[in-house]
Amino acid sequence: MVTSASDTTVDAGAEKRFFIEMLTKDIELLPAIVDLVDNSVDGARGLHPDGDLSGQWVKIEFGDDSFTISDNSGGISVDVARHYAFRFGRSKDFTGVKRSVGQFGVGMKRAIFKIGRAFAVQSAHRGEASADDGSRFSLNVDVEQWAVQQEWTFQFERVEEGVALATDEEAGTVISVTKLHPSVQDDLKDPAIVQALRTELRVRHQESIQSGLQLHLNSDKPLVASRPSLQASDVIQPVFKEFQVPGANGGTVDVKLYAGTVAPRKRDKDSDPEDEGQAENFQDPGDAGWYLFCNDRLLLVADRTSLTGWGNPAAAYHPQYRSFRGFVYLSADDAGLLPWNTTKTAVDRDSPVFRAVQSEMKTVLVAVQAVINRAKQVRARLEDEEPKPDILVALDETPDKPITSLTASSSMVTPPSPPAKPKAPPTPKVQRIQYVVDPDKFEEVAEALGASSGSEVGRLTFDYFYEQEIG
């Protein structure tokens, strides 16, 4: 069959249902909500290139059939909304914010579709060129109605350009999702899932929170983030390396790598004082493992898999390594150089950048494990009432310090192990012999030998025979 010129076009178009129903299956509810916060964080960073996010806030509120996230992160300009913000996939000519978290242009839309079937966006942008360069807009979308329309566009309900925002008007964005999916309604009513969301937000955005961002979840009280810390003192120093990895198109990724140990947990005074050396008595790994951040957004949490070196080439995770902590920070002006997946819940294993960093992580893990193993061996040799060697005092009693206070060190420094104790001389081998004799004869022999027990009679008679007949 001969194909005419008019038949040479092959349809490679997209279907809206794929984005609404299928792409949302690649992400769970909690990471989707965290994705929405990513947009607010990027906006806040755009306002504060110095990284100080004091005064910036993000509020998440939800009820029976609504979910709202609002911020004061500068808002979305009408121009960005019209051409970039609501596209499915990031346009190549959109520059965005340096060292941003958003990268792929799917997070906000996918998260909204994951949560519900209708949404509204309101935003006020103060402008950059002049005082009257601000803008405002609002739009309302019923996802089911939009899905059957041919056009891939949304319509502004209200739009204002070239306006000046009042000094007391917050420049920010409010996204409200309604017609929540039944599963989402159930999840947001479950206290355990809400607590998990609170933890997810606190952990994934801990660096932004520590930089001053106030992140609220159905509360006036902002979430508090833990501060990454490692044991450090005059006698113990964790690993801290800084280096760069070349990326594509001449770009570079800055890397900070920290690894060491944390202070042992304080046990309850009534708990069973098991020997620390018996690691099998402490099966809970707690927070042990590697933590990896991309532009301050946490991707890997307490990873103890082969991805980060456990089992290859380092030893596989065992409870004796529960004090290990490793923190890796990858930063790049161009977020496209960083090895994250679209849901920001894992790394791209094939990324040349990650593979270069992974090699360093494996080397450092082996070195810190060696310190922990050495301490365990010293503890196993420790006798009752014997003073603790310096290495055990250091690892048992040194407090944790924030990693931001650490100085560079290519290896983990600890006091040396005490010299091995001299081995006791070997016990000579002996052979026990036993025989039965007439008691009267025994008494006569014992009296003749001047012996007082059967064992002594046996030994003296054996020695007599050996000397007389053999020796």
Side-chain angles (χ1 to χ4, degrees):
M1 178 180 177
V2 178
T3 303
S4 65
S6 61
D7 296 328
T8 58
T9 300
V10 177
D11 186 2
E15 287 290 335
K16 292 180 179 179
R17 288 291 175 189
F18 171 77
F19 291 91
I20 297 171
E21 299 174 358
M22 298 304 296
L23 197 60
T24 55
K25 294 183 183 295
D26 293 338
I27 193 169
E28 296 182 357
L29 175 62
L30 302 194
I33 294 173
V34 177
D35 246 359
L36 289 175
V37 178
D38 289 345
N39 295 318
S40 298
V41 169
D42 280 348
R45 287 180 177 172
L47 296 176
H48 302 279
D50 61 356
D52 183 359
L53 303 184
S54 300
Q56 300 302 129
W57 52 261
V58 181
K59 297 178 181 178
I60 298 172
E61 300 169 298
F62 47 82
D64 291 340
D65 193 34
S66 66
F67 174 96
T68 301
I69 179 170
S70 57
D71 64 48
N72 67 339
S73 298
I76 305 170
S77 72
V78 167
D79 183 68
V80 170
R82 183 178 283 129
H83 298 294
Y84 303 108
F86 295 96
R87 285 175 58 95
F88 290 84
R90 173 165 290 193
S91 173
K92 64 180 180 180
D93 59 345
F94 180 64
T95 55
V97 178
K98 284 187 177 181
R99 306 217 165 194
S100 67
V101 178
Q103 163 60 21
F104 302 101
V106 297
M108 178 178 69
K109 283 76 70 178
R110 178 172 56 186
I112 290 173
F113 293 160
K114 181 75 177 182
I115 296 170
R117 300 185 301 278
F119 67 93
V121 180
Q122 299 178 35
S123 193
H125 179 69
R126 197 169 296 282
E128 300 168 2
S130 62
D132 59 355
D133 187 36
S135 62
R136 302 184 189 91
F137 74 85
S138 65
L139 59 82
N140 294 278
V141 178
D142 185 297
V143 177
E144 293 299 322
Q145 293 179 8
W146 175 77
V148 299
Q149 296 172 4
Q150 188 69 25
E151 298 81 9
W152 283 70
T153 58
F154 299 135
Q155 298 296 316
F156 287 125
E157 293 287 323
R158 176 179 60 87
V159 58
E160 301 175 62
E161 297 181 84
V163 298
L165 269 62
T167 55
D168 60 348
E169 181 178 358
E170 291 278 16
T173 302
V174 180
I175 299 175
S176 301
V177 186
T178 54
K179 296 184 179 179
L180 303 188
H181 297 299
S183 61
V184 173
Q185 287 182 310
D186 292 341
D187 286 347
L188 295 181
K189 292 177 182 177
D190 187 332
I193 292 179
V194 173
Q195 179 57 40
L197 174 59
R198 182 175 290 107
T199 300
E200 190 81 356
L201 291 167
R202 181 177 60 81
V203 170
R204 297 287 180 180
H205 282 290
Q206 57 184 268
E207 290 299 311
S208 296
I209 294 173
Q210 289 170 14
S211 296
L213 177 73
Q214 292 195 339
L215 180 52
H216 301 259
L217 179 64
N218 264 6
S219 172
D220 292 333
K221 186 177 180 180
L223 301 178
V224 178
S226 59
R227 184 179 295 272
S229 302
L230 293 170
Q231 285 185 295
S233 68
D234 294 338
V235 295
I236 184 169
Q237 188 171 7
V239 176
F240 172 30
K241 296 182 178 182
E242 291 186 272
F243 55 95
Q244 288 186 323
V245 176
N249 302 320
T252 58
V253 176
D254 298 323
V255 183
K256 292 183 179 181
L257 187 155
Y258 307 82
T261 55
V262 296
R265 293 178 180 176
K266 298 296 183 182
R267 297 201 190 110
D268 185 274
K269 63 181 181 180
D270 297 323
S271 65
D272 185 13
E274 294 281 5
D275 177 13
E276 276 289 324
Q278 301 302 314
E280 57 272 15
N281 293 320
F282 300 89
Q283 297 297 328
D284 181 12
D287 300 321
W290 283 104
Y291 296 74
L292 188 142
F293 298 78
C294 284
N295 280 354
D296 289 340
R297 168 69 147 78
L298 183 58
L299 267 65
L300 299 182
V301 180
D303 189 90
R304 297 181 290 273
T305 70
S306 59
L307 178 69
T308 54
W310 297 91
N312 180 29
Y317 179 76
H318 184 273
Q320 74 188 58
Y321 300 125
R322 64 192 176 278
S323 63
F324 173 85
R325 300 289 187 279
F327 305 94
V328 182
Y329 294 82
L330 310 183
S331 302
D333 287 346
D334 179 2
L337 299 177
L338 299 175
W340 38 23
N341 63 1
T342 64
T343 59
K344 305 187 191 80
T345 55
V347 298
D348 176 5
R349 295 170 179 258
D350 298 325
S351 162
V353 169
F354 175 68
R355 292 197 173 195
V357 175
Q358 182 188 46
S359 177
E360 288 287 339
M361 294 168 68
K362 290 180 177 181
T363 300
V364 169
L365 176 58
V366 169
V368 178
Q369 281 187 343
V371 171
I372 296 173
N373 292 339
R374 184 158 47 91
K376 182 179 179 181
Q377 292 168 359
V378 171
R379 199 182 302 277
R381 295 196 302 263
L382 198 63
E383 297 179 357
D384 293 341
E385 308 302 326
E386 182 181 355
K388 274 187 181 181
D390 291 342
I391 184 173
L392 298 187
V393 173
L395 293 174
D396 289 352
E397 300 179 14
T398 299
D400 298 338
K401 288 187 177 180
I403 59 176
T404 52
S405 67
L406 301 179
T407 56
S409 177
S410 60
S411 61
M412 185 170 178
V413 179
T414 63
S417 300
K421 298 176 183 177
K423 292 184 178 180
T427 303
K429 294 182 178 180
V430 295
Q431 177 66 53
R432 180 179 299 276
I433 59 176
Q434 189 174 15
Y435 51 92
V436 179
V437 297
D438 180 83
D440 293 334
K441 293 180 180 180
F442 170 80
E443 293 295 339
E444 292 179 21
V445 172
E447 184 177 354
L449 294 173
S452 58
S453 65
S455 60
E456 189 177 7
V457 169
R459 188 177 66 256
L460 291 174
T461 53
F462 179 86
D463 292 344
Y464 176 81
F465 179 86
Y466 189 88
E467 292 172 2
Q468 297 297 320
E469 300 297 333
I470 298 176

